[in-house]
């Protein structure tokens, strides 16, 4: 099978297309024939060798994807060949024509959802759900700011929160991104390039502040985020690419919490609960991943450049050459 492999850490050019043996599923494992593969920023940090987690070289990147079950291991009863599925984690890497996964990393993909949309679930939707509901404990009726509502995690957070009855404010840094955030369900949108964005957001809450912020770029915003939270407000740090200065007093005045998260810390029971909710959301139509750019699997390097460019527009996916 064709797979993308990395032999040394570096720029996007280290993503090489190679012919490798197709894996065989052992006990508790499922082999998925990939149709679409989700590309996430974290995969660029790992490839560059700058992330806390460094895989042994060579490795095949990728956690997310969607396709059809090709083969199951001896004791796997919950899936059978031909089932449509999405993956949230993989033993062999999803940037490939086939991905070997543990059965619990595989989830059913309803017939009304495309493979490209399925490839958006594993990291972005699971992250948005965990940030909103398990870390921030966001409740219906609360006001949420999705700070960075135009990308993979942000569009997911907007849909999840809107369907749960929150008032959703979202930001983006391009006109297309602002339009997308509104279409995904944001009640009001703001341009995070605007110098007065925090005043605009505060005004939209009539000076009360927001209850929850899910933050995609904490190094740019955390200091100011703390000034626009309502009493008892929570900010969940999902993304950060540098350092930031805060005034701790801003957390004291209104009993504000700053909560970090990374998906690998999610306990298995919480993870199972997240995917049960996500599959239900796909089935009932409240979750509809927005797909932006698509690239062939063999052009993974282009996808890695694109995912780090400004002007996010939903999810970036790789496609294998197979038809739907
Ligand atoms: P993405 O699709 O590339 O989206 C990036 C988002 O950040 C876009 O909405 C972008 O908006 C926004 N952004 C850019 N500048 C911003 C600013 N000054 N203020 C607020 N937002 C800004 O990436 P993603 O997959 O959604 O991931 C978002 C971040 O979360 C990444 O840093 C990623 O590494 C991280 N992440 C963390 C976890 C975890 O477990 N903690 C899991 C998944 C992702 P414009 O492009 O419109 O400006």
């Amino acid at each position: 099978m064709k797979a993308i492999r990395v032999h040394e850490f570096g720029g996007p050019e280290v993503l090489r297309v190679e012919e490798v043996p197709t894996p065989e599923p052992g006990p508790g494992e499922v082999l998925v024939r990939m149709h679409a593969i989700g590309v996430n920023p974290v995969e660029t940090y790992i490839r560059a060798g700058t992330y806390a987690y460094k895989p042994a070289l060579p490795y095949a990147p990728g956690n997310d994807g969607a396709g059809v079950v090709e083969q199951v291991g001896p004791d796997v009863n919950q899936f059978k060949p031909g089932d449509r599925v999405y993956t949230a984690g993989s033993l062999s890497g999803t940037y490939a024509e086939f991905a070997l996964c543990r059965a619990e990393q595989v989830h059913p993909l309803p017939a009304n959802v495309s493979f490209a949309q399925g490839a958006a679930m594993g990291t972005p939707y699971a992250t948005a759900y965990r940030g909103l509901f398990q870390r921030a404990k966001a409740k219906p009726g609360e006001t949420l700011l999705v700070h960075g509502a135009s990308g993979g995690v942000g569009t997911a957070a907007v849909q999840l929160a809107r369907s749960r009855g929150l008032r959703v404010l979202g930001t983006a840094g391009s006109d297309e991104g602002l339009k997308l955030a509104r279409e995904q369900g944001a009640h009001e949108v703001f341009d995070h390039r605007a110098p007065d964005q925090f005043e605009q957001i505060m005004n939209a809450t009539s000076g009360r502040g927001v209850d929850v912020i899910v933050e995609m770029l904490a190094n740019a915003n955390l200091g100011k985020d703390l000034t626009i939270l309502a009493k008892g407000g929570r900010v969940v740090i999902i993304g950060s690419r540098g350092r930031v200065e805060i005034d701790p007093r801003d957390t004291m005045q209104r009993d504000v919490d700053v909560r970090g998260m990374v998906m690998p810390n999610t306990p298995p029971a919480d993870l199972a609960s997240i995917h049960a909710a996500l599959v239900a959301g796909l089935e009932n139509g409240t979750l509809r991943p927005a797909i932006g750019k698509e690239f062939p699997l063999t052009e993974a390097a282009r996808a890695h450049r694109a995912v780090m460019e400004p002007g996010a527009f939903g999810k970036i996916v790789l496609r294998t050459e197979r038809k739907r």
Side-chain angles (χ1 to χ4, degrees):
M1 67 169 185
K2 273 199 190 66
I4 302 295
R5 304 241 296 167
V6 174
H7 289 261
E8 75 263 344
F9 298 116
E13 66 284 354
V14 303
L15 298 169
R16 286 199 223 153
V17 184
E18 290 184 354
E19 208 46 57
V20 298
T22 303
E24 291 268 328
E29 295 173 355
V30 176
L31 183 68
V32 181
R33 179 189 288 268
M34 306 305 286
H35 287 245
I37 297 133
V39 176
N40 295 292
V42 70
E43 290 138 25
T44 73
Y45 322 148
I46 295 170
R47 183 215 69 225
T50 56
Y51 197 58
Y53 162 73
K54 283 195 186 60
L57 295 168
Y59 76 96
N63 285 312
D64 299 355
V68 171
V69 172
E70 178 77 6
Q71 212 184 326
V72 298
D75 55 350
V76 173
N77 304 313
Q78 62 273 53
F79 296 106
K80 59 179 186 324
D83 286 350
R84 287 165 54 88
V85 294
Y86 73 85
T87 69
S90 164
L91 298 167
S92 61
T94 57
Y95 286 27
E97 289 180 313
F98 293 90
L100 186 67
C101 301
R102 292 198 311 272
E104 61 273 19
Q105 294 173 321
V106 177
H107 306 280
L109 184 69
N112 58 344
V113 183
S114 72
F115 291 120
Q117 289 177 314
M121 302 308 293
T123 300
Y125 274 74
T127 300
Y129 190 97
R130 177 145 179 89
L132 284 170
F133 303 124
Q134 296 182 343
R135 298 292 291 137
K137 311 233 183 288
K139 294 189 284 291
E142 288 193 314
T143 299
L144 165 73
L145 172 65
V146 181
H147 216 163
S150 48
V153 180
T155 49
V158 168
Q159 291 178 9
L160 282 161
R162 180 71 195 251
S163 68
R164 189 69 81 90
L166 282 94
R167 179 169 176 237
V168 182
L169 314 181
T171 76
S174 70
D175 293 344
E176 296 74 22
L178 289 163
K179 183 164 173 280
L180 179 69
R182 196 183 279 283
E183 284 166 3
Q184 300 314 306
H187 293 92
E188 289 190 61
V189 294
F190 305 86
D191 189 335
H192 51 229
R193 293 166 305 185
D196 65 341
Q197 58 160 320
F198 292 93
E199 289 75 18
Q200 290 182 35
I201 292 164
M202 204 58 174
N203 288 340
T205 68
S206 306
R208 177 186 171 273
V210 298
D211 299 294
V212 174
I213 300 175
V214 286
E215 181 52 74
M216 303 305 151
L217 199 61
N219 56 297
N221 300 319
L222 184 61
K224 285 281 197 176
D225 284 346
L226 298 178
T227 68
I228 60 160
L229 283 164
K231 197 167 181 188
R234 294 85 75 198
V235 54
V236 175
I237 300 177
I238 291 182
S240 188
R241 293 180 181 167
R243 299 174 70 83
V244 63
E245 190 174 301
I246 66 162
D247 182 346
R249 277 202 169 151
D250 290 329
T251 67
M252 297 159 68
Q253 308 306 329
R254 292 177 311 287
D255 283 16
V256 155
D257 286 347
V258 178
R259 300 180 186 174
M261 63 159 281
V262 284
M263 279 310 287
N265 289 342
T266 309
D270 284 359
L271 203 54
S273 164
I274 289 170
H275 287 287
L278 296 182
V279 172
L282 290 174
E283 280 170 352
N284 69 26
T286 51
L287 302 183
R288 278 288 166 269
I291 305 307
K293 297 193 177 99
E294 297 191 27
F295 298 89
L297 172 63
T298 50
E299 294 182 21
R302 277 181 66 206
H304 269 214
R305 288 188 190 99
V307 79
M308 294 306 282
E309 281 165 6
F313 191 82
K315 187 70 218 161
I316 294 178
V317 297
L318 299 171
R319 304 296 303 236
T320 58
E321 258 120 69
R322 299 173 193 287
K323 296 273 173 269
R324 292 196 54 188

